[in-house]
Amino acid sequence: MPSSVTALGQARSSGPRMASNACCCCPAAVQRRLPILAWLPSYSPQWLKMDFIAGLSVGLTAIPQALAYAEVAGLPPQYGLYSAFTGCFVYFFLGTSRDVTLGPTAIMSLLVSFYTFHEPAYAVLLAFLSGCIQLAMGVLHLGFLLDFISCPVISGFTSAATVTIGFGQIKVGTVPTQDTALRPLPVRRVGDAVLGLVCMLLLLVLKLMRDHMPPVHPEMPLGVRLSHGLVWSASTARNALVVSFAALVAYSFEVTGYQPFILTGETAEGLPPVRTPPFSVTTANGTISFTEMVQDMGAGLAVVPLVGLLESVAVAKAFASQNNYRIDANQELLAIGLTNVLGSFVSSYPVTGSFGRTAVNAQSGVCTPAGGLVTGVLVLLSLDYLTSLFYYIPKSALAAVIIMAVAPLFDTKIFRTLWRVKRLDLLPLCVTFLLCFWEVQYGILAGALVSLLMLLHSAARPETKVSEGPVLVLQPASGLSFPAMEALREEILSRALEVSPPRCLVLECTYVCSIDYTVVLGLGELLQDFQKQGVALAFVGLQVPVLRVLLSADLKGFQYFSTLEEAEKHLRQEPGAQPYIREDAVPDPRVTLLKA
């Protein structure tokens, strides 16, 4: 397996540098766009064995989850399966992570439900348009935009989505009575509630068994290894096992003529037809045009692609870091975008990277993205041969699968961590969390704006370190940009020129890596103010690019010293300290010495 990681890593290491120096058709560029070429030539039988086991494990998880997530999206159950296989085949060619699996997820299904009004045509069109947007972002290398969505904002959104999805599944145990005229209020079905709780308990027990399994050693007895493998298989395929158990219970009641559970019901048989996405919809009231459909989906055309990319890239980065290999974020954008575009031709709704199924994939020992082929084939086989059996799956069992899948997404630890590390970061988290219960797009937008305002405030008001002594030394603790110039000027004036008598000052610029025109003007004005007061302002620790800019500006009275000691000596009027520029510091033959 380490060699597979190396092969995938080598594909990433080619990076933008080689792409910029070579034509788009050179082998390195082609390999960067088709990562399969990095690992396929060295594919081994051992990898095939591990990929098959992992793909089978993920498939047994994906099928019941797909049925459950279709319920969250408000769509017929077959649409969950339609959405579960395209990503497996696309990622085989384009994916840069061996662990990631693409398909329907709880959060994406919630967004689809919110923006598509439980209409399959809207959901499929949303997949197509989202994929086009994601592809465009990948082609234009706009993946860096995702970096402006901070971790507290993401955590606030996922936690709010978890609460919404979890409470949304409680309705599965509640149905209207038949006599709606006399008894319009819903009544709780005890059978569904009991079965749902039993399924959740079984899923929890199997998960705990998986988490606490001791490692297997070759010297262990054969019986111990076999029992270990049996427990591992049962806990890995726990979703399929629990759903099958619930379906068997429901079928047993069906045979007796009494059914205490709400069943999934009829699921369309066979593979989905290949056809273009619906660009218009005919209803009893007329035809809804493409423009009207886009207007109806509104902010969903921005929120769904963005959240899909965030979720997928976050999952890929997390497992790449955990398993010591690299991913290409822009290539991931292309993979998820093409998956959604192609998926829309087989009636898929928007998909993204699944954290839960990716974890199953990694824990199963997957070696390459080829494991997804097994998962995709398994989903297709279930569509072709097993849909008649899905009729007996109780909805409460699928609700249990959803609740257990989204429960880990509610991050309780982050509240304690932010309280210890930086309490101000709790603000965007709480803003996002609370507003997402009102409107998802407003929650994400408000959280991102709060984070951006905090970022701008730190840039406009950087911390400064002040050292009192014979000579006042002031050091900006971060970069220096135009929003920060006024605050720096006010602090310098208050500490050096608005005191009696005025004091000389050394500006220590070690952390300043670049300056702009506004900063140059501000420093020039400060130099003039110091000259009027009869004191000096000196600079220390200027990096070469900053020094070049200041020299080009030809500031009157500009003094630069290589060390703080020399600056202090000169400002105290001690002999032997002259301001200068070392020749090797600035590769400009015209500048050799700068005198006071």
Side-chain angles (χ1 to χ4, degrees):
M1 280 191 290
S3 57
S4 70
V5 176
T6 303
L8 287 171
Q10 288 173 346
R12 308 286 68 73
S13 64
S14 59
R17 184 178 64 253
M18 293 189 68
S20 62
N21 296 330
C23 65
C24 61
C25 296
C26 70
V30 172
Q31 188 181 84
R32 198 160 65 91
R33 290 305 178 202
L34 286 175
I36 184 177
L37 300 178
W39 55 265
L40 189 59
S42 57
Y43 200 78
S44 68
Q46 178 63 22
W47 292 2
L48 177 62
K49 173 187 172 185
M50 299 304 296
D51 286 343
F52 180 82
I53 294 174
L56 189 64
S57 302
V58 173
L60 292 175
T61 303
I63 292 172
Q65 281 193 347
L67 296 170
Y69 292 151
E71 177 74 20
V72 175
L75 301 174
Q78 66 269 18
Y79 281 89
L81 296 173
Y82 294 165
S83 307
F85 65 85
T86 306
C88 301
F89 300 112
V90 172
Y91 205 79
F92 172 72
F93 294 98
L94 301 181
T96 63
S97 168
R98 69 166 188 261
D99 299 304
V100 168
T101 63
L102 301 180
T105 65
I107 290 176
M108 190 57 61
S109 300
L110 177 67
L111 293 178
V112 169
S113 172
F114 186 79
Y115 290 112
T116 63
F117 325 109
H118 300 181
E119 289 289 341
Y122 277 85
V124 175
L125 180 61
L126 182 58
F128 176 78
L129 297 177
S130 297
C132 291
I133 294 171
Q134 292 163 338
L135 273 177
M137 292 182 67
V139 171
L140 298 176
H141 295 271
L142 298 179
F144 72 93
L145 293 176
L146 302 179
D147 297 335
F148 287 93
I149 308 296
S150 65
C151 287
V153 173
I154 296 173
S155 182
F157 163 68
T158 54
S159 297
T162 299
V163 174
T164 302
I165 294 169
F167 278 97
Q169 296 312 300
I170 298 177
K171 69 180 182 181
V172 171
T174 307
V175 295
T177 60
Q178 292 181 354
D179 189 3
T180 54
L182 299 177
R183 302 178 61 188
L185 296 178
V187 296
R188 183 164 303 281
R189 298 190 61 159
V190 177
D192 280 312
V194 172
L195 182 62
L197 291 174
V198 170
C199 289
M200 288 178 60
L201 181 61
L202 290 175
L203 290 169
L204 178 62
V205 170
L206 290 171
K207 183 180 184 300
L208 292 176
M209 289 172 60
R210 172 64 182 267
D211 294 341
H212 295 85
M213 284 180 61
V216 179
H217 302 290
E219 61 272 12
M220 286 183 173
L222 179 61
V224 174
R225 282 182 289 164
L226 287 175
S227 61
H228 184 282
L230 182 62
V231 173
W232 179 88
S233 301
S235 57
T236 300
R238 57 183 177 273
N239 288 322
L241 287 178
V242 169
V243 169
S244 300
F245 160 76
L248 186 61
V249 172
Y251 180 76
S252 301
F253 277 102
E254 187 79 12
V255 171
T256 64
Y258 172 71
Q259 187 55 263
F261 312 120
I262 304 173
L263 304 182
T264 299
E266 294 289 342
T267 302
E269 296 184 7
L271 302 178
V274 179
R275 57 192 176 194
T276 58
F279 294 104
S280 62
V281 177
T282 301
T283 65
N285 298 324
T287 300
I288 302 175
S289 66
F290 172 74
T291 304
E292 292 173 325
M293 294 178 72
V294 170
Q295 291 174 346
D296 290 341
M297 289 185 284
L301 294 174
V303 174
V304 171
L306 177 63
V307 173
L309 294 178
L310 280 172
E311 193 171 358
S312 188
V313 173
V315 169
K317 285 184 176 180
F319 283 88
S321 175
Q322 177 181 318
N323 296 319
N324 300 314
Y325 61 87
R326 295 172 58 196
I327 65 155
D328 184 335
N330 283 303
Q331 182 66 21
E332 291 294 306
L333 301 191
L334 294 175
I336 184 68
L338 189 60
T339 294
N340 279 319
V341 169
L342 296 181
S344 66
F345 286 84
V346 288
S347 302
S348 165
Y349 67 80
V351 301
T352 185
S354 166
F355 190 90
R357 294 192 297 276
T358 298
V360 171
N361 209 21
Q363 293 167 1
S364 302
V366 70
C367 297
T368 70
L373 293 181
V374 181
T375 302
V377 170
L378 199 61
V379 174
L380 290 174
L381 290 174
S382 69
L383 273 168
D384 216 13
Y385 299 105
L386 301 180
T387 49
S388 60
L389 301 179
F390 297 154
Y391 178 92
Y392 297 101
I393 297 177
K395 288 191 174 183
S396 57
L398 297 179
V401 170
I402 294 170
I403 292 173
M404 296 304 295
V406 301
L409 297 178
F410 191 90
D411 191 357
T412 56
K413 295 180 181 178
I414 193 171
F415 292 92
R416 296 194 301 269
T417 302
L418 291 180
W419 183 262
R420 294 195 309 267
V421 176
K422 189 176 180 181
R423 296 177 184 178
L424 189 59
D425 280 341
L426 286 168
L427 180 59
L429 185 149
C430 293
V431 167
T432 305
F433 179 77
L434 294 175
L435 289 184
C436 277
F437 290 114
W438 175 36
E439 293 279 357
V440 173
Q441 67 269 26
Y442 296 153
I444 296 174
L445 181 61
L449 286 177
V450 170
S451 296
L452 185 60
L453 289 174
M454 292 167 56
L455 179 64
L456 292 176
H457 183 270
S458 64
R461 297 294 181 268
E463 295 183 5
T464 54
K465 298 179 181 179
V466 180
S467 300
E468 297 282 353
V471 176
L472 185 65
V473 180
L474 191 145
Q475 180 187 44
S478 59
L480 188 59
S481 56
F482 70 90
M485 190 60 227
E486 188 60 31
L488 179 66
R489 175 184 173 82
E490 291 177 1
E491 183 161 9
I492 290 176
L493 292 177
S494 64
R495 291 182 178 274
L497 300 184
E498 295 177 356
V499 296
S500 182
R503 304 179 61 184
C504 295
L505 183 137
V506 176
L507 192 60
E508 220 287 357
C509 301
T510 302
Y511 298 116
V512 179
C513 57
S514 65
I515 57 175
D516 53 44
Y517 180 68
T518 304
V519 175
V520 172
L521 286 180
L523 294 177
E525 293 173 357
L526 281 173
L527 287 169
Q528 293 177 10
D529 293 338
F530 272 80
Q531 286 179 337
K532 291 177 182 178
Q533 296 285 345
V535 289
L537 170 63
F539 294 81
V540 170
L542 291 172
Q543 298 185 28
V544 173
V546 177
L547 183 56
R548 281 181 176 155
V549 172
L550 293 175
L551 290 175
S552 301
D554 195 20
L555 300 177
K556 184 179 179 181
F558 174 68
Q559 299 182 88
Y560 165 70
F561 297 85
S562 60
T563 64
L564 182 59
E565 291 76 13
E566 290 183 352
E568 290 179 338
K569 282 183 180 180
H570 176 75
L571 296 179
R572 291 198 304 265
Q573 302 300 320
E574 295 182 12
Q578 291 294 323
Y580 70 95
I581 302 297
R582 292 181 301 169
E583 294 186 37
D584 59 347
V586 180
D588 187 343
R590 297 174 299 174
V591 181
T592 57
L593 183 66
L594 183 67
K595 296 184 178 179

